Amino acid sequence: MKIERGIKKQLENVKKMEKSFLTGENFHLQHLLGAHLLEEGRFVFRVWAPNAQAVFLVGDFNDWKDTLPMEKDSHTGIWTIETTEAKVGDLYKYKIRQASGREIMKIDPFAIRFEQRPGDAAELYMIPEKKWKDGLWRGRMKRTNQFRRPMNIYEVHPSSWKHHEDGTPYHFSELTEELVPYLADMGYTHVEFMPLTEHPLGRSWGYQSIGYFALSSYYGTPEDFQAFVEACHLNNIGVLMDWVPGHFCINDDTLPYYDGTPQFEYSDPDRANNRRWGSINFDLGKPQVQSFLISSAMFWIEMYHLDGIRVDAVSSMLYRDYDDGPWTPNHEGGNRNFEGYYFLQKLNACIKLAHPNVLMIAEESSSETQITGMIETGALGFDYKWNMGWMNDVLRFYEMDPIYRKDHFNLVTFSFMYMMQENYLLPLSHDEVVHGKKSLMHKMWGDRYKQFAQLRNLYTFFMTHPGKKLLFMGSEWGQFLEWKFDEGLEWVDLDDDLNSKMQQFTAKLNEFYKAQPALWELEDSYDTIEIIDADNTSETVLSFIRKGKKKKDFLIVVLNMAPVERRDFHVGVPYPGTYKEVWNTEMLEHGGTWTEHNPECTSLPIAFNNYGQLIKTTVPALGAIILKPEKINLRKRN
């Protein structure tokens, strides 16, 4: 009797899951579709292929022959089979007789593990339940305001961070031993991985996925990645992952035209084909596809305790004319992709309802849509948006010969005009160090010494400008060569004194950033910054103040973008008193030539711009300094 009641309960749950799947409200769809253990030795397989003529389960267990036909539910389009033939570890696919009668082997879209490339069969795999030990970390994240915390992200492509001598990459079991201590030593608050979902071509860097629920077998097992995340949390490091809901791999045996008709993709070929990236666009307005994608995001967050997701290529989901080639206006005659717009709002609403502390970050390059902020106001509901404008302008400026910089000073000051329009994250990402763009260090003007000086200057500006931070691996020590996805980083660089000191500089800057509330405590408000002088184009020196909650908690930042030392340089200050230099990019320990900091400065009652007091100091050529109030009179604001 108990067994009968149990079976009845299971069937009722299946029916509920099927109903919510059809309406786009099932956000744990992996519990319905895919392969599941019913009882010892017995599995059920379910796959959605509404317009297929027939579907067969094929694999190691039946010599890949169509001896195991599946049954279709005509209402849901889901095909099902229960079998005792399959066992854990077997490889399998679905043989689908498509709507046209064509027969083709297709992957299981809900597989949680695949065989190693170049094969793409699913492996019948059960992830054992983990007893997590990261409760203190997760509890702390719930109790604190993410916008009032430092966030300094180290972006990683896991298989090219380090390689073995034979050329094989590190798995996550090895990254736990080496990358986690490195993140802690370098002072990063978070690590972000380029897509970890299964993908058939390393050259795609993971952005053309086939398995939206599967950790790429190239990186190890799901248990390996769980252990890595736990180790990060035990070391007070958050873990983020890139995720790609806009488009998917074009390979015929994966998701495209799964049942022979537009199933996961738009029915309009112009909307379905992503010509720019050679992939296929999801139909983001289809309820079943919404369930599929939101379930994928939920799965990664819940199965791996991720602290956040960076959604890739948001612009491609928002605008019909984003791609190359012909496009069709929407019903209003415009270029808005309403399906993508409402899907992204739904995605963020669902994630935030279930996991309020999980960070949702958008990689988005336009300014026509409010990306961050409340959905009720028309925004998409993301927590942060990559500030691509800041990144493009600043890198263009630092690549420039200093003789021309005075005429293009707006490239480093323009961001102050719009910096609070969104909650921004400043990215110095992988996209800027590939395809002939040169590494960050190689972009810098001048000889090798000047390049390192400017890189230190750039990173100081990066850390003191409002916005969260992201730096791609290898950039922390100024790797000269561009990033190569199929090789490890140039760790041999660290045998060089300038590279080694650059790495130490970055680590100390990271710790300085975390230790200074003025750099992150109010950065979602204009109260966080005062511009001292953004018009000194003749000398090419920028100065501003970053402020924390406490009146006395502020930093004065001075950046000299010219190869000329500025002696007796005037800087306006808000209060009379003394100011101490706490940061100087040209110190010998950082790779510069200075052996001592500037002496403590006492303000003079001389007007400077909007300030009634100023200090005089020396700013190194191509250098940056930061000063902190030592003894000031807070009652005499000038």
Side-chain angles (χ1 to χ4, degrees), residues 132-190:
W132 289 85
K133 302 174 184 176
D134 60 351
L136 286 176
W137 165 266
R138 286 161 68 83
R140 189 160 60 250
M141 293 304 101
K142 289 179 181 179
R143 294 190 298 272
T144 56
N145 184 338
Q146 62 189 4
F147 296 105
R148 303 295 172 88
R149 293 197 302 261
M151 184 187 297
N152 183 14
I153 303 167
Y154 186 63
E155 187 190 24
V156 173
H157 180 254
S159 62
S160 60
W161 185 71
K162 272 192 179 181
H163 266 214
H164 293 291
E165 290 184 5
D166 64 358
T168 58
Y170 279 27
H171 285 177
F172 269 108
S173 58
E174 296 161 303
L175 292 174
T176 301
E177 298 297 321
E178 294 204 28
L179 178 54
V180 175
Y182 184 76
L183 293 167
D185 289 344
M186 289 297 297
Y188 288 101
T189 65
H190 293 73

Side-chain angles (χ1 to χ4, degrees), residues 588-635:
L588 189 63
E589 63 186 285
H590 300 327
T593 59
W594 284 39
T595 57
E596 294 182 359
H597 279 279
N598 274 306
E600 191 170 88
C601 305
T602 300
S603 67
L604 301 171
I606 301 172
F608 183 92
N609 288 354
N610 296 321
Y611 300 93
Q613 298 271 327
L614 63 76
I615 57 175
K616 297 179 181 181
T617 189
T618 299
V619 189
L622 298 174
I625 62 172
I626 300 176
L627 302 108
K628 199 169 185 177
E630 189 74 2
K631 295 178 182 178
I632 57 173
N633 188 342
L634 293 171
R635 289 174 293 184

Side-chain angles (χ1 to χ4, degrees), residues 151 153 192 240 308-312 314 348 359-363 371 382-386 425:
M151 184 187 297
I153 303 167
E192 178 180 318
L240 316 173
I309 287 176
R310 191 211 75 153
V311 180
D312 182 65
V314 167
N348 285 314
L359 295 169
M360 297 298 291
I361 302 169
E363 187 265 316
I371 304 300
F382 284 97
D383 295 303
Y384 293 103
K385 172 185 175 178
W386 275 25
L425 186 152

Side-chain angles (χ1 to χ4, degrees), residues 170-446:
Y170 279 27
H171 285 177
F172 269 108
S173 58
E174 296 161 303
L175 292 174
T176 301
E177 298 297 321
E178 294 204 28
L179 178 54
V180 175
Y182 184 76
L183 293 167
D185 289 344
M186 289 297 297
Y188 288 101
T189 65
H190 293 73
V191 60
E192 178 180 318
F193 290 105
M194 293 164 69
L196 302 176
T197 49
E198 190 60 79
H199 52 283
L201 182 65
R203 191 177 296 275
S204 77
W205 310 337
Y207 290 98
Q208 295 190 14
S209 296
I210 62 172
Y212 277 76
F213 295 81
L215 175 78
S216 175
S217 56
Y218 199 59
Y219 302 144
T221 67
E223 297 95 305
D224 291 337
F225 185 49
Q226 286 180 325
F228 176 88
V229 174
E230 183 174 75
C232 282
H233 288 173
L234 294 176
N235 283 273
N236 297 316
I237 298 164
V239 182
L240 316 173
M241 185 189 88
D242 286 8
W243 182 67
V244 191
H247 61 103
F248 54 91
C249 180
I250 201 169
N251 287 14
D252 194 33
D253 57 346
T254 60
L255 296 182
Y257 300 94
Y258 197 83
D259 62 8
T261 67
Q263 182 177 326
F264 288 94
E265 54 276 275
Y266 291 106
S267 57
D268 179 349
D270 288 336
R271 301 187 70 189
N273 290 309
N274 192 315
R275 295 172 180 83
R276 181 175 297 185
W277 295 318
S279 55
I280 304 289
N281 293 323
F282 281 108
D283 182 348
L284 298 175
K286 187 176 288 186
Q288 297 93 328
V289 173
Q290 293 177 357
S291 281
F292 172 76
L293 290 171
I294 296 175
S295 294
S296 168
M298 287 284 195
F299 173 82
W300 285 92
I301 291 166
E302 294 169 357
M303 179 60 71
Y304 298 107
H305 283 200
L306 292 186
D307 300 282
I309 287 176
R310 191 211 75 153
V311 180
D312 182 65
V314 167
S315 292
S316 71
M317 292 181 272
L318 289 178
Y319 307 108
R320 288 179 171 229
D321 60 347
Y322 181 82
D323 194 23
D324 304 323
W327 62 281
T328 305
N330 60 36
H331 65 279
E332 294 181 351
N335 68 343
R336 167 76 73 199
N337 180 356
F338 287 110
E339 295 95 330
Y341 176 85
Y342 290 120
F343 164 76
L344 290 166
Q345 286 190 323
K346 181 176 180 178
L347 167 70
N348 285 314
C350 292
I351 297 297
K352 286 298 182 180
L353 181 63
H355 303 284
N357 303 292
V358 166
L359 295 169
M360 297 298 291
I361 302 169
E363 187 265 316
E364 204 276 337
S365 55
S366 74
S367 58
E368 300 172 34
T369 303
Q370 187 70 27
I371 304 300
T372 61
M374 296 179 64
I375 292 171
E376 292 80 359
T377 65
L380 293 183
F382 284 97
D383 295 303
Y384 293 103
K385 172 185 175 178
W386 275 25
N387 193 337
M388 311 291 276
W390 176 89
M391 177 270 297
N392 284 314
D393 287 350
V394 165
L395 291 184
R396 181 182 162 200
F397 181 86
Y398 277 86
E399 288 182 272
M400 193 178 294
D401 188 317
I403 197 171
Y404 303 113
R405 289 179 180 176
K406 63 181 183 295
D407 299 320
H408 299 277
F409 203 47
N410 64 306
L411 290 174
V412 291
T413 61
F414 180 62
S415 58
F416 293 135
M417 303 293 292
Y418 65 84
M419 62 186 172
M420 296 300 162
Q421 291 180 4
E422 301 268 13
N423 295 326
Y424 282 117
L425 186 152
L426 308 181
L428 294 172
S429 74
H430 66 276
D431 277 329
E432 308 318 311
V433 295
V434 290
H435 302 321
K437 295 179 183 178
K438 301 186 289 190
S439 69
L440 293 186
M441 187 271 186
H442 196 186
K443 292 179 195 288
M444 301 296 107
W445 168 86

